DNA sequence: CGTAAGTGTTGATATATGTCAACCAAGAAT
DNA sequence: ATTCTTGGTTGACATATATCAACACTTACG
C-alpha cells in the first residue's frame, strides 16, 4: 500500500504552505516539516480505511484521491481530493478513528503529518486554529449541499451536479479528462452504475455534452444548470 | 417571532455551563453572561432562516427545536435540539450566513450570545477551542451516519433509524410522547408524509410498536434494530 | 495467441416511492 | 352549534430507480 517513504525537500518551499499553513511561523512550519512523511500511492490503492485509528493528517500533493463512506453494500463518495488539499476526518477530535475511507483515484503523492503535532499547533496558534475551523466549516457546508442534492433531486439533477463539481471544482477546465470510473460517478451521485451511464447517454443524445474516450465536454451549460436546479 | 427579551439570572448558575462552557474561566463566563439575551419562542415559530446573517450563537435552554435545510420543495431536518444543546452553523467562520433554518417544535427558550464574543473566546482559550472543534466534529459524524441512512437505506430502515433517534437521543425514554408532527417525521427520514405514516402502520401491525395518541412505545427493539440494519 | 478479468453499455423487468385525491378527527373560530 | 382549518390516514395510480442478465471492449497475462 505504501510504496515509498522519504523526507523530501521542505515544507517551506512547498506550495501546500500557501493554504491552511499560511498562518504558521517559520518555526512552526519547521516543526511540521521535520515530522512529516512523504508517501506515494498507485491508482486504486487505499490510503486509509474507515474504522481504523487516525494518527495522521494527510496532505495530497499530487494526483487525485477520493474519500468515501462504506455503507450498506455500496459506497458514497463524499468528495474528491486534489492538490493541494487535505484529508482530516472528524474523528481526530473525537475518538481518533476514521469515519470514512480514502483511496487514490489517480497515482498520488501525499504528506502525512502526525495529528498530535497538528493539534498542538491549533492550541498555540489562534490564527491557525481559525483557519482550521474555517476549513471544517466549508467542508460541512459542502456536505449540506450534497445531502440536499442526494435526497431531494432525482437522478438527472444529481448527475448534473456531479458534472459541475467535476468541471468546476476538480478538473477546472471544460473539455476535461475523466480520470474517475463510472462506478465512482455513480458513487458520487448515489445511484447505480447503470443508471449513471444511462443519464450520460441521454445527455449526449440531447446535445448537452459529448464524451470521447474519457474526455467529456459540456456543450450546453445553461441547460445543464437548468437540469440541476429543477431536480 | 421574538416574544420576550430579558436578562435572566446568571450563566454561572445555569446548567448550560456544564457542557461546552465548562472550560471557561469565571471571568470569561461573565463576559458571555453580560452580553446574552434570553428569548422565548412558541411552537412553530422560526428562530432563524437559512440565508440570513448569523450574528448569534444559540443555546436552547428549554423545549425542543429543529434545524432543517429548505431544499427543493421540501425540508430536510438535520437534527432536533433539546436542552442543553447549541445551534451554531458552519457559516459563522465562513460568510456569517445561516446554511439552515431553525424553528421551535415545542415552546422553547434560548440564550443568544454574540458570535464575535464567542470567536474571541475560541482564540484566547485553547481548551474552549478544542471543545468547540469536538462539538463540530460530533455533529459532522452524526451527519455522515444520517447521509448513509438517507441515501442507502430504504424507507423501513430510515424510519427505524429515526425512531431510535427519537427514543434514545431525544426523548430518552421508551414509551415517549412524540411532540413532532408526521411531517417532521417524514422530513427527518427524507420521504413523503404519506409514506412515513404507512410504515408506522406496518410496524404497528407487526407488533413492533404501539401508538396511542401521540405516545409511541417500541415493543420489539430487536426486530426494529434488525430493520434498521438490513436497510 | 487465447483466455481471463475488469469496465462500460444496453435492454427487460420488478419494485420502492411519490403524487393525487378523498376522507376523517379534533380543535379553533364564528 | 356550526363551520372552518389543520393534521392525520388511506387507497389508487404513475414513475423513478434498482436489479438482473447479456454483451462489447479493452487490457493483463500465461
Amino acid at each position: 500500500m505504501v510504496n515509498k517513504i522519504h523526507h523530501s525537500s521542505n515544507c517551506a518551499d512547498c506550495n501546500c504552505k500557501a493554504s491552511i499553513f499560511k498562518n504558521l511561523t517559520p518555526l512552526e512550519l519547521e516543526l511540521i516539516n521535520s515530522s512529516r512523511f512523504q508517501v506515494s500511492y498507485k491508482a486504486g490503492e487505499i490510503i486509509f480505511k474507515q474504522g481504523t485509528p487516525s494518527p495522521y493528517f494527510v496532505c495530497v500533493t499530487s494526483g487525485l484521491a477520493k474519500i468515501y463512506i462504506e455503507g450498506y453494500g455500496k459506497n458514497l463518495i463524499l468528495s474528491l481530493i486534489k492538490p493541494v488539499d487535505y484529508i482530516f476526518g472528524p474523528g481526530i477530535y473525537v475518538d481518533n478513528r476514521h469515519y470514512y475511507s480514502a483511496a487514490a483515484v489517480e497515482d498520488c503523492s501525499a504528506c502525512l503529518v502526525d495529528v498530535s503535532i497538528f493539534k498542538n499547533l491549533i492550541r498555540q496558534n489562534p490564527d491557525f486554529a481559525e483557519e482550521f475551523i474555517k476549513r471544517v466549516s466549508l467542508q460541512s457546508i459542502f456536505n449540506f449541499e450534497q445531502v440536499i442534492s442526494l435526497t431531494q433531486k432525482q437522478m438527472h439533477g444529481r448527475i448534473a451536479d456531479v458534472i459541475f463539481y467535476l468541471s468546476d471544482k476538480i478538473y477546472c477546465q471544460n473539455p476535461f479528462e475523466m480520470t474517475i470510473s463510472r462506478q465512482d460517478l455513480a458513487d458520487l451521485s448515489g445511484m447505480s452504475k447503470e443508471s449513471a451511464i444511462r443519464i450520460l447517454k441521454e445527455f449526449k443524445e440531447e446535445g448537452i455534452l459529448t464524451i470521447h474516450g474519457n474526455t467529456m465536454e459540456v456543450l450546453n451549460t445553461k441547460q445543464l444548470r437548468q437540469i440541476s436546479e429543477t431536480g
Side-chain angles (χ1 to χ4, degrees), chain A:
Chain A
M1 189 191 316
V2 172
N3 301 313
K4 143 180 103 154
I5 298 184
H6 67 273
H7 284 251
S8 89
S9 62
N10 197 300
C11 283
D13 308 325
C14 176
N15 54 355
C16 305
K17 86 179 165 77
S19 48
I20 193 177
F21 298 120
K22 67 173 182 276
N23 293 314
L24 294 183
T25 66
L27 205 69
E28 290 169 337
L29 206 56
E30 177 50 32
L31 191 64
I32 290 208
N33 184 51
S34 65
S35 74
R36 94 185 198 285
F37 293 95
Q38 191 164 345
V39 188
S40 296
Y41 301 93
K42 283 222 273 287
E45 287 182 336
I46 290 178
I47 298 173
F48 57 74
K49 278 283 283 186
Q50 182 174 331
T52 60
S54 165
Y56 297 114
F57 173 92
V58 178
C59 174
V60 175
T61 55
S62 79
L64 188 66
K66 63 179 173 184
I67 59 179
Y68 59 101
I69 300 180
E70 304 185 32
Y72 298 83
K74 53 184 185 170
N75 297 336
L76 177 70
I77 297 181
L78 294 175
S79 62
L80 298 173
I81 310 288
K82 62 169 193 171
V84 176
D85 210 343
Y86 313 93
I87 310 180
F88 49 89
I92 64 178
Y93 274 92
V94 176
D95 56 2
N96 254 304
R97 307 260 148 201
H98 288 293
Y99 281 83
Y100 45 71
S101 298
V105 172
E106 307 169 6
D107 291 354
C108 279
S109 53
C111 285
L112 309 185
V113 176
D114 193 285
V115 159
S116 62
I117 289 177
F118 197 83
K119 283 165 107 169
N120 280 340
L121 290 176
I122 286 181
R123 290 185 66 88
Q124 76 184 46
N125 185 332
D127 289 327
F128 182 60
E130 280 203 338
E131 185 62 29
F132 176 74
I133 296 174
K134 188 177 170 185
R135 296 263 162 176
V136 173
S137 299
L138 283 170
Q139 201 173 281
S140 184
I141 289 170
F142 177 77
N143 285 147
F144 287 167
E145 288 167 5
Q146 196 179 20
V147 176
I148 289 300
S149 175
L150 289 173
T151 59
Q152 302 197 346
K153 292 184 183 181
Q154 42 199 62
M155 297 198 300
H156 297 255
R158 303 209 299 271
I159 288 285
D161 286 343
V162 171
I163 292 173
F164 280 124
Y165 175 63
L166 293 175
S167 76
D168 296 350
K169 302 284 173 60
I170 299 302
Y171 299 116
C172 300
Q173 32 183 290
N174 192 338
F176 58 88
E177 205 207 334
M178 292 236 298
T179 51
I180 66 171
S181 68
R182 301 302 151 110
Q183 185 62 59
D184 286 335
L185 189 71
D187 289 345
L188 272 166
S189 46
M191 66 185 70
S192 70
K193 185 179 58 175
E194 294 93 327
S195 293
I197 290 170
R198 266 185 265 267
I199 311 271
L200 284 185
K201 189 185 169 194
E202 285 181 46
F203 284 178
K204 275 192 287 189
E205 286 166 358
E206 292 170 36
I208 296 173
L209 49 79
T210 59
I211 302 178
H212 294 111
N214 281 326
T215 305
M216 176 183 294
E217 177 170 12
V218 178
L219 300 176
N220 194 335
T221 309
K222 206 166 168 182
Q223 193 179 350
L224 195 60
R225 181 69 60 195
Q226 169 85 1
I227 290 170
S228 157
E229 277 161 12
T230 56

